[in-house]
Amino acid sequence: MGWLWAIIVGFVLGLLAKAILPGKQHLPLWMTTVLGIIGGVAGNSLAAGFGIDETPGIDWGRHALQIVAALVLVFLGDLAYKAVKGNRQRT
């Protein structure tokens, strides 16, 4: 069940990141989800490093770090995707 939640949360984080970032992102949905999953894991690791991973109530700090990590990863992933996709020659 942990993997299913990771996919669902990654999907939501990726979509939130795409919605927050200005302009159009060219990432496919599967890549957005993967980067959202990685962003969630990175946000959890940062929260553990700051000591805010286990707080009473809703972990707002952890969730904020997850969204920020997903934003950075989706932004960088979109840049890389456009660079690779833009270099292809169409004949």
Side-chain angles (χ1 to χ4, degrees), residues 30-60:
W30 68 269
M31 192 175 292
T32 303
T33 303
V34 169
L35 292 174
I37 291 169
I38 296 169
V41 171
N44 284 341
S45 297
L46 287 171
F50 292 134
I52 58 171
D53 56 335
E54 300 270 342
T55 59
I58 298 174
D59 295 329
W60 293 111

Side-chain angles (χ1 to χ4, degrees), residues 9-10 12-18 21 32 35-40 42-43 64-77:
V9 169
V12 171
L13 284 172
L15 289 181
L16 279 173
K18 282 182 89 165
L21 288 171
T32 303
L35 292 174
I37 291 169
I38 296 169
L65 289 171
Q66 288 176 332
I67 291 174
V68 168
L71 277 167
V72 170
L73 289 172
V74 168
F75 176 74
L76 294 175

